[in-house]
Structures are given as C-alpha cells and as structure tokens.
Amino acid sequence: MRKTAPVKYDIHSLLLERWSPRAFSSKEIPVDKLQRIFEASRWAPSSSNDQEWRYIIGFKGDETFQKIFNTLTEFNQLWAGEAPVLVLASAETISPKTGKAGTIALYDVGQSVAILTVQAEAEGLFVHQMAGFDKDKIREYFELPDSVEPLTVFTIGTYGDPSKLHPNLQRLEKSDRVRNNFDTFVFRNKYGEPTDLFNSP
Ligand SMILES: Cc1cc2nc3c(=O)[nH]c(=O)nc-3n(C[C@H](O)[C@H](O)[C@H](O)COP(=O)(O)O)c2cc1C
C-alpha cells in the first residue's frame, strides 16, 4: 500500500514514499538487503565521528526477537510481531574522546536510524520505529551497560495484509499523512517568527 506524502514542494521519491505501516508480512528479508540497510546506517554523520549507534537485531523465531517483542507495549504487540525483523536502537552516551556522558549521542543515533529507513525504502522494505517499549526490561534482557541508552525499537519488513490488522489499527493504517506547516518550525530573526521562504509556490 502506498501513502505518498502530500508535499507542497517535490522531494525525492524515497522520501515521498517512505511511511510507517503496521501491516507487515512475515516474509524473510534477504541478507544482502539487511547488509545494505545497516551499511547505510553506518555512514550516517555523527558528532566527532563518534558513531554512537548500537543495534541489536532479532529474527522472527529467535530468542532475541522474542525478548524485544516482550518489551513492547500492548498496543505495539498488536502488530509488530508479524514483522520478520525487530531491532533495538541504542546509544553509547560516553564519548570515546572525553570519557564524559552527553546527549549528542542521542541525536547521532536518530540520524543513523533515519538514513537506515531511507535505504530500507530503496530496498522495497518498510521500517516502523517504536518508542513504546519497556526500557528497564530491555536493559535487563540484553545486559546493556549503564552508559548505553535504549532509544527505539523498530520493525523491518515487507508490506503485509492490512485486513488482518486489529480493527482500530486498520483505521490508522488508512489515515491521512499530516505534517505541521513550515511556519511552525522554520523561523527567521527570532524563535517563533515565520519566514516568507514558503510563501511562493
Ligand atoms: C521515535 C519514534 C517513536 C515512535 N513510536 C511509535 C510507537 O511506539 N508505536 C507506533 O505504532 N508508532 C510509533 N512511531 C511511528 C510514528 O507514529 C510515525 O512515524 C508518525 O506518525 C509519522 O508517520 P510516518 O512515519 O508514516 O510518516 C514512532 C516513530 C518514531 C520516529
């Protein structure tokens, strides 16, 4: 199913077509596609090239997948278990250069995941990120060091059958894609003051 973004200005088709479905098929993902997806994530920019992203990947049927699945909220468990792959994205928050903990790692991991989602789109696959999981449980299950912050869990897979989704989720699956207007997030002169950049078509 396509949910092309209703953009004001034309953008690359990979960005136009990327969206976060909940109807996943359980079909296995070819290894080479996964390799390229994580290759893309590896080439994300990061502060001081610190590359703080840390992933744990589970494949449907294995123990890692089941552990990640067990940490999901009830809502996310309604749909995410169908996907063939579940991944935990976390951040090493201690800088290898200064030895100090910081928050820039969180930003860098977000960039790595964002790039990964675009490569997934290029591979004909979908990614759906989730903040709805139990961080304490995931820390315990995977023995995360204190310096590692679990951030999101995401599915990777091909599109499935939306008619198999829980009725409430079917509605969400078909809902319009919406975004805030430019004047709410691109400013000029001072915070909150819109620019006229987007007045022309
Ligand atoms: C960090 C993050 C956390 C999210 N958490 C959840 C979640 O727990 N459950 C869920 O169903 N969707 C979750 N989403 C998906 C968002 O709802 C979705 O990206 C947003 O509505 C925009 O839709 P789009 O990705 O299709 O453009 C999350 C997305 C991000 C980036």
Side-chain angles (χ1 to χ4, degrees):
M1 188 167 102
R2 289 176 80 162
K3 278 181 75 166
T4 309
V7 293
K8 181 167 182 191
Y9 305 102
D10 199 22
I11 56 175
H12 195 286
S13 60
L14 291 176
L15 303 170
L16 266 182
E17 298 300 337
R18 184 217 59 81
W19 69 289
S20 307
R22 294 188 177 84
F24 278 90
S25 129
S26 294
K27 207 173 134 208
E28 273 184 35
I29 305 174
V31 168
D32 61 319
K33 287 188 182 240
L34 284 174
Q35 288 168 335
R36 287 193 294 271
I37 285 171
F38 284 97
E39 181 73 284
S41 81
R42 188 159 79 105
W43 287 95
S46 60
S47 172
S48 302
N49 202 16
D50 279 348
Q51 306 165 61
E52 307 93 327
W53 40 85
R54 303 287 184 270
Y55 296 107
I56 296 181
I57 185 165
F59 296 88
K60 199 172 167 69
D62 76 12
E63 199 186 333
T64 302
F65 184 100
Q66 194 54 46
K67 279 181 175 170
I68 297 176
F69 180 80
N70 289 347
T71 70
L72 298 179
T73 58
E74 232 174 273
F75 174 82
N76 286 331
Q77 286 194 349
L78 283 178
W79 59 271
E82 275 307 306
V85 167
L86 272 177
V87 181
L88 166 69
S90 54
E92 171 53 69
T93 62
I94 300 212
S95 156
K97 301 195 179 67
T98 65
K100 289 187 184 150
T103 53
I104 201 69
L106 313 186
Y107 182 91
D108 291 342
V109 176
Q111 300 217 54
S112 173
V113 176
I115 286 181
L116 177 154
T117 66
V118 177
Q119 184 66 33
E121 178 67 33
E123 303 289 347
L125 297 169
F126 292 90
V127 169
H128 195 132
Q129 299 172 62
M130 291 164 269
F133 68 99
D134 186 324
K135 288 191 171 185
D136 293 334
K137 256 194 208 166
I138 221 148
R139 277 192 174 288
E140 185 194 322
Y141 285 170
F142 296 110
E143 301 176 31
L144 301 186
D146 289 345
S147 62
V148 172
E149 183 66 27
L151 295 172
T152 53
V153 163
F154 57 87
T155 52
I156 312 177
T158 48
Y159 199 64
D161 180 355
S163 70
K164 287 191 185 152
L165 282 172
H166 185 280
N168 297 346
L169 297 184
Q170 289 187 26
R171 231 181 317 114
L172 278 176
E173 196 76 348
K174 289 184 198 132
S175 64
D176 290 343
R177 300 193 60 216
V178 288
R179 288 299 189 267
N180 296 333
N181 287 328
F182 294 106
D183 61 1
T184 65
F185 69 97
V186 187
F187 307 135
R188 186 162 185 200
N189 295 328
K190 65 174 176 142
Y191 188 87
E193 197 172 297
T195 139
D196 57 9
L197 184 62
F198 307 105
N199 292 350
S200 52

